[in-house]
Amino acid sequence: MLLLKRLRKLIYHNFKEMKWQGLLLSLLGYMLLCWLVLRLLGETELAGADYLYWLIVTASTVGYGDLSPATAGGKLFSAFFVIPIGLGLFALTVGKVAAFSAYQWRKGIMGMKALNLNEHILVIGWDPQRTPQLLRLLLIEARQNLGRTLCLCVSDEIENPLPGEIEFVRVSAYNDPAEMQRSCIDQASSIIIDCARDDSTLAAALYSHSRNPGAHSIAYFRDQSLSQLLRHHCPNIECTPSVAVELMVKAAMDPGSSALHRQLLSAGDGMTQYSVRYPDALAPISIRRLYAPLKEHYQATLIAVDLEADGEPEVNPPLDLELHPGALIYYIAPARIHAFDWAALTQP
């Protein structure tokens, strides 16, 4: 009895620690041994063209009965070797596949998998008060804007806050090249940096700019001095300071201003602000000629233009101002307009 216990413990330990290569070799060895023994026992029908089919249904104890051993030796061999050993290997294979699938799913939830993304929106940083709302609004915007994938990269000990909706990467530091590569930072089209601390935001913004200077990068700061410092070193990064104080002042002087600004900023509620680039193939045009057609064709209102596309828009531009190809047009509309009929908008 003691010998059997030790043997069972030894077999269990070896099967538990068995790698995929060992399992594959065991399956091949089992299949070859069964085929050789069946041939030696005269089971030519079982060891013929239907051998693999018979072995699987027999080893898994399904047993359809359309094929079965004809000799006494074949029956004993099937009963005491093919079925028990095959059943063990079958259970081990199913268990390892299930464990591997669960492990891969867990790696995704914990942010340990390397992703394969391109032209995605990368959010760096985690603030429990702001980031969840940021992600929800970005998902709405991303679905409206070419269906871009959203990826969250954090250094905090958290799991994916929106599994199945966003990609997720967890790193030890925002300047670790190998770990940040898992977020495909080099291929991101937009990078949003919003950490719980401004110094972390500054460091992450500088690193992301060094890795992907061509991406449209936005950094959120509470301290205006750090925002100015970043703009000095990386002028193409758009810095967004907190506007809570300004909103309170406007609401005090003009009641309802906070609700108005919330509607303009939220893609899921009422009219929202969007932007479009004036095509390079078109001739220059005045604001006057574009203002009314936008309203008539798309129920959209032109509110600002950025002639140099340098992140410094001119709000409420004069009607005689001339738009040149490449300029950014900011407008208010019920939803993002994906296909502008520029021929209709710019006709005399």
Side-chain angles (χ1 to χ4, degrees):
M1 182 64 68
L2 182 61
L3 180 62
L4 289 176
K5 286 184 177 181
R6 289 183 176 179
L7 181 61
R8 185 175 64 181
K9 184 177 180 180
L10 179 63
I11 294 174
Y12 173 77
H13 175 75
N14 288 323
F15 271 90
K16 181 181 178 181
E17 298 298 326
M18 184 179 290
K19 305 297 182 183
W20 283 105
Q21 297 88 336
L23 178 59
L24 181 60
L25 289 175
S26 298
L27 288 171
L28 292 175
Y30 168 75
M31 293 167 61
L32 180 60
L33 180 61
C34 289
W35 184 83
L36 288 173
V37 173
L38 289 172
R39 295 287 293 185
L40 291 174
L41 293 175
E43 297 288 351
T44 55
E45 185 178 2
L46 297 183
D50 295 325
Y51 167 69
L52 186 60
Y53 159 75
W54 174 82
L55 185 66
I56 292 175
V57 298
T58 301
S60 61
T61 68
V62 175
Y64 292 124
D66 51 348
L67 293 172
S68 59
T71 65
K75 293 176 181 179
L76 290 173
F77 178 68
S78 297
F80 291 102
F81 184 84
V82 175
I83 294 177
I85 301 300
L87 185 59
L89 289 173
F90 179 79
L92 179 63
T93 303
V94 172
K96 287 188 77 68
V97 170
F100 177 77
S101 301
Y103 174 69
Q104 293 299 317
W105 176 81
R106 187 63 181 170
K107 280 181 65 178
I109 291 293
M110 296 301 296
M112 305 309 295
K113 291 181 66 175
L115 304 178
N116 183 21
L117 302 174
N118 190 41
E119 296 295 317
H120 56 294
I121 302 173
L122 177 61
V123 178
I124 299 177
W126 175 259
D127 185 291
Q129 304 301 321
R130 288 194 316 276
T131 309
Q133 178 67 4
L134 169 67
L135 294 174
R136 284 191 287 269
L137 293 176
L138 277 173
L139 282 173
I140 297 173
E141 288 280 3
R143 294 188 186 108
Q144 295 182 9
N145 189 13
L146 305 178
R148 286 192 291 173
T149 303
L150 183 60
C151 176
L152 173 65
C153 178
V154 304
S155 61
D156 301 65
E157 294 290 330
I158 64 170
E159 298 183 0
N160 189 341
L162 295 171
E165 297 187 70
I166 66 171
E167 301 293 345
F168 180 66
V169 172
R170 197 171 73 189
V171 298
S172 58
Y174 295 130
N175 58 355
D176 186 298
E179 293 192 338
M180 291 301 293
Q181 185 59 38
R182 292 193 285 113
S183 68
C184 304
I185 187 173
D186 299 332
Q187 288 77 44
S189 60
S190 299
I191 301 176
I192 300 174
I193 305 102
D194 182 15
C195 303
R197 294 170 46 186
D198 279 355
D199 56 346
S200 299
T201 299
L202 178 62
L206 290 171
Y207 178 76
S208 65
H209 178 73
S210 68
R211 288 290 300 268
N212 190 351
H216 177 214
S217 299
I218 306 100
Y220 173 84
F221 289 98
R222 300 166 189 80
D223 187 346
Q224 187 66 20
S225 63
L226 288 179
S227 172
Q228 294 171 352
L229 177 63
L230 180 61
R231 287 297 301 270
H232 176 72
H233 291 282
C234 307
N236 60 330
I237 293 183
E238 186 175 344
C239 298
T240 58
S242 173
V243 294
V245 174
E246 290 84 347
L247 281 178
M248 285 191 292
V249 172
K250 290 299 296 181
M253 297 297 103
D254 302 291
S257 293
S258 60
L260 170 63
H261 284 86
R262 183 171 63 249
Q263 185 178 139
L264 291 176
L265 294 173
S266 174
D269 182 23
M271 293 287 179
T272 304
Q273 174 260 308
Y274 303 100
S275 68
V276 64
R277 192 175 296 275
Y278 189 62
D280 293 333
L282 297 181
I285 188 174
S286 67
I287 298 295
R288 187 188 307 276
R289 286 181 53 194
L290 196 60
Y291 192 90
L294 270 175
K295 190 70 174 179
E296 293 169 356
H297 286 81
Y298 299 108
Q299 195 59 25
T301 302
L302 190 152
I303 59 171
V305 294
D306 188 349
L307 299 179
E308 303 298 330
D310 57 0
E312 298 292 339
E314 181 177 351
V315 181
N316 192 24
L319 294 176
D320 294 331
L321 183 67
E322 192 173 63
L323 272 179
H324 294 274
L328 280 174
I329 301 170
Y330 296 88
Y331 62 93
I332 302 171
R336 187 181 297 277
I337 304 168
H338 292 289
F340 278 89
D341 186 355
W342 291 104
L345 291 174
T346 57
Q347 65 182 358

